[in-house]
Amino acid sequence: MIVTIENQQFDTDDITQLYPAAMIKTGYNNEVTQISLEWIDMQEGNSDVTVVSYAIFIHKRDRSVASFPYHDREELEEAMEHLASQMQNL
């Protein structure tokens, strides 16, 4: 099956991992890293955690990784809902 994210198509047979994440500052220069949404939710109100953006990550069998950044959680959730609606037909 083919799914589309931000006008890019992916064959689900080629996808090994697909997940949303928050991108946060690590505290080292301008470095950022991805963190699970569950962890971010547990850190709500923690001023030491700075979310830079959100993203959907797709890891493929050829070891390439595609990422789709979103400015805020709402945009990410809309994209995830769109993706979920496509995948319901699997």
Side-chain angles (χ1 to χ4, degrees):
M1 172 179 193
I2 302 297
V3 294
T4 303
I5 301 175
E6 304 300 326
N7 297 321
Q8 289 190 37
Q9 294 186 329
F10 298 90
D11 186 332
T12 55
D13 289 338
D14 292 335
I15 297 173
T16 59
Q17 290 183 8
L18 186 154
Y19 56 90
M23 302 300 294
I24 63 168
K25 291 183 177 183
T26 64
Y28 181 75
N29 295 328
N30 290 326
E31 183 181 70
V32 296
T33 192
Q34 53 182 275
I35 291 293
S36 74
L37 298 179
E38 293 81 10
W39 188 87
I40 285 297
D41 291 344
M42 290 188 305
Q43 301 305 310
E44 189 172 339
N46 183 344
S47 62
D48 293 334
V49 177
T50 303
V51 175
V52 175
S53 64
Y54 293 88
I56 295 173
F57 290 89
I58 296 179
H59 293 246
K60 296 173 52 181
R61 290 194 191 285
D62 66 6
R63 297 186 178 246
S64 64
V65 179
S67 63
F68 300 91
Y70 299 95
H71 295 292
D72 57 39
R73 181 87 176 246
E74 184 177 317
E75 285 182 9
L76 171 69
E77 289 179 0
E78 287 174 13
M80 290 299 294
E81 286 176 17
H82 183 262
L83 182 59
S85 70
Q86 295 177 65
M87 296 184 86
Q88 284 179 349
N89 297 323
L90 287 177

